[in-house]
Amino acid sequence: MSKRYERLFQNFTFNSGVQVRNRLMMAPMTTFSADQHDYVSVEELDYYRLRANGVGTVITACAYVAKSGKGFDGQMAIDHDGTIDGLTRLAKVIHEGGAKAVVQLYHGGRLAVPRLVPNQETWSASHVAPLLDRGFYSIDQAPKALSHEEVLQIVHDFGEATRRAIVAGFDGIELHGASGYLLQQFVSPHSNRRQDNWGGSEAKRLNFSLAIIEEVKRVIAEYATKPFLIGYRFSPEEPETPGITMKETFGLVEALIEHQLDYVHLASTDAWAKPRRGVTSERSRMELLAERINNRVPLIGVGSIHSADDALAVLEQANVPFVAIGRALVVDPQWVEKVHAGNESLITHILKTTVQKEKCIPTPLWQLILSHEGWFPVEKEK
C-alpha cells in the first residue's frame, strides 16, 4: 500500500480486549432485507460476506430488541431466541472475512412504524409526537408515554438482545442512540417531558441510556466467554426546539466516558458538518468532540467518506482514531482492499444499474437506492 495510508491500517485493542486489524469500519446501514420472519436473509449474508474482507469491523444494520420498536419493513430482529440461528450465520460470514462482528441494537420508540408494531401503538419517553419526518417513513402520531415498569422492561430487552448476540458469536453490540430513536428520545428535551427518574433534568434524561449500558455490562459479565465490546452511537444535534444541541451532547459523552464504553460513534451524513446550536465555533462537530473526548474513549467519525484521502483526513486532521464507511462500501465492496493494495485509484464511486448481482446488494435495498434520487450516486442507463 501507499505509505501515505499506513495509519488507516494500524491495529487496535479496545478496552474490552477486542482486537481489530485496522481503523476502518463498515457503518451500520439499514438493508430492509430480512426475511418474512425478520430473520437474517440469504441476501443479507451475501451482502455482508462481500464487504467483510477489508474492514476491521462490520457494524450491522440495526436489529430491533422488542416488537414494539420495529421501525422498517424487512428489519432484522433480535427480540427472541428464534433469531439466534440466523444471527450466528451472520457473525460467521463476517468472521470468515477477517473482520470483527458488531450488531447494532435498536428500539424505534415514537419513530417505530405503527402498522409494524403490536396494536399499532408507538411508545416513547413522553406523549409528544415527532415534529419532523425522519428516514423513509412519515410518523405523526403521538406515542404512548412508557410507565416506569415498561421502561425497565425495555432495559431488560436490550440485555436479552445482548445475550443473544453473545450466543450467536458476535464480538460486540452497538447501542443505537442516534437518528431520533428511543434512546435519543429519552436524552432529548423535546421528546422527554417526564418528571421522574427518567426525566425532569438534563442528568435524569441520561438515566435510560445509562441503565441499558449497566444491564448490557451485567449480561456480558454473566455470559461472555471472550472479549465483548460495547459501543454507543449518537446524533450530536437534532432539529427540534427544544432539542439536543452540542451542549447536551457534551454532557452525554462525559457520562458515556464515565461508564467505560469501548467506543462512541458519531452519526452524521457529513463528517465535517459544523454545529448549529449549543457552541460557537467554526470547527466541525467531529473536531469539537474529538477535542472534548481527548482520547479518553475512541471516537468513530462518519459521513460522506468516499476516498482514502477522506478517511485519512478524519484520522489526521480531526485526530479521530476510527472512520466508518457506509455508502462508499455499498458502491465498491472492495474499497478497503483496493486501498490496502495501493490501487485506491481503481475505487468505483458510481453505481451502474446493471451491478446489483455483482455487488450483492439485496433487492429491497437496491430498489430504494434506485427510487430515492440523490441518496446514492447512480449512473442511469442511456
Side-chain angles (χ1 to χ4, degrees):
M1 87 186 79
S2 167
K3 188 174 179 63
R4 172 178 175 79
Y5 301 122
E6 285 182 352
R7 187 170 177 183
L8 296 174
F9 294 93
Q10 292 176 342
N11 59 24
F12 186 86
T13 302
F14 289 101
N15 182 57
S16 61
V18 172
Q19 298 179 341
V20 294
R21 61 187 173 187
N22 60 45
R23 305 306 179 92
L24 300 167
M25 296 184 167
M26 182 176 176
M29 288 189 61
T30 304
T31 67
F32 309 92
S33 300
D35 70 14
Q36 68 271 28
H37 304 294
D38 293 342
Y39 296 168
V40 177
S41 68
V42 172
E43 279 194 303
E44 286 181 305
L45 294 175
D46 292 340
Y47 169 79
Y48 285 108
R49 181 184 288 109
L50 190 61
R51 290 164 175 83
N53 297 302
V55 293
T57 309
V58 170
I59 307 172
T60 73
C62 55
Y64 64 80
V65 303
K67 289 287 191 297
S68 60
K70 184 176 179 180
F72 308 98
D73 288 292
Q75 185 177 14
M76 184 168 67
I78 193 169
D79 66 318
H80 63 95
D81 285 2
T83 65
I84 291 175
D85 284 349
L87 292 165
T88 300
R89 288 191 289 272
L90 176 54
K92 184 174 184 290
V93 301
I94 293 171
H95 288 152
E96 286 172 350
K100 299 299 183 184
V102 175
V103 60
Q104 189 182 66
L105 305 185
Y106 160 103
H107 191 293
R110 68 180 184 177
L111 295 185
V113 178
R115 63 179 172 80
L116 299 179
V117 300
N119 302 317
Q120 298 191 21
E121 182 177 56
T122 58
W123 296 356
S124 188
S126 301
H127 183 65
V128 180
L131 297 180
L132 301 167
D133 292 347
R134 295 180 188 269
F136 293 88
Y137 303 105
S138 176
I139 309 295
D140 57 7
Q141 75 178 45
K144 171 191 170 184
L146 290 159
S147 69
H148 174 72
E149 291 72 21
E150 288 167 337
V151 172
L152 293 178
Q153 178 59 51
I154 292 178
V155 170
H156 177 74
D157 292 339
F158 274 91
E160 279 292 275
T162 301
R163 176 184 61 80
R164 295 180 190 110
I166 292 169
V167 174
F170 281 88
D171 302 288
I173 58 97
E174 179 177 278
L175 299 173
H176 197 342
S179 305
Y181 299 130
L182 186 60
L183 273 73
Q184 182 174 324
Q185 288 162 34
F186 271 84
V187 174
S188 171
H190 179 269
S191 45
N192 188 345
R193 312 290 176 90
R194 302 175 75 100
Q195 296 297 322
D196 61 1
N197 183 60
W198 309 107
S201 68
E202 186 174 336
K204 286 185 176 181
R205 290 198 301 271
L206 302 181
N207 283 345
F208 179 60
S209 293
L210 300 181
I212 289 173
I213 289 169
E214 289 307 307
E215 174 66 4
V216 166
K217 285 185 172 182
R218 184 194 67 78
V219 169
I220 293 170
E222 181 174 353
Y223 291 100
T225 58
K226 65 176 184 178
F228 192 88
L229 62 78
I230 310 171
Y232 189 105
R233 197 173 204 212
F234 64 93
S235 293
E237 297 182 86
E238 60 184 6
E240 291 88 354
T241 301
I244 294 172
T245 73
M246 290 298 293
K247 174 182 176 295
E248 286 79 17
T249 290
F250 286 153
L252 170 65
V253 168
E254 289 296 333
L256 296 177
I257 290 170
E258 288 179 10
H259 281 71
Q260 299 181 322
L261 300 188
D262 286 278
Y263 69 78
V264 293
H265 187 178
L266 175 66
S268 177
T269 57
D270 179 2
W272 301 98
K274 294 180 180 179
R276 293 173 293 190
R277 299 180 296 174
V279 66
T280 301
S281 177
E282 288 302 310
R283 290 186 295 163
S284 68
R285 296 179 296 202
M286 179 175 63
E287 291 171 292
L288 293 171
L289 283 162
E291 180 181 68
R292 179 76 177 225
I293 291 169
N294 193 27
N295 293 314
R296 288 177 292 164
V297 64
L299 172 65
I300 303 173
V302 68
S304 298
I305 307 298
H306 301 297
S307 69
D309 286 339
D310 291 341
L312 189 63
V314 170
L315 270 62
E316 293 189 341
Q317 295 178 33
N319 193 30
V320 170
F322 285 91
V323 58
I325 305 166
R327 287 169 293 177
L329 206 58
V330 176
V331 174
D332 192 336
Q334 282 78 43
W335 192 101
V336 179
E337 296 96 300
K338 288 177 180 178
V339 177
H340 190 264
N343 295 323
E344 57 275 2
S345 63
L346 301 180
I347 292 174
T348 301
H349 296 286
I350 298 176
L351 277 175
K352 294 184 178 180
T353 55
T354 57
V355 299
Q356 179 198 356
K357 185 175 180 181
E358 171 193 337
K359 296 183 183 292
C360 293
I361 300 175
T363 297
L365 176 58
W366 180 251
Q367 291 172 344
L368 281 168
I369 287 172
L370 296 183
S371 63
H372 284 72
E373 189 171 348
W375 186 29
F376 275 77
V378 178
E379 181 182 292
K380 300 290 186 180
E381 290 183 354
K382 297 180 181 179

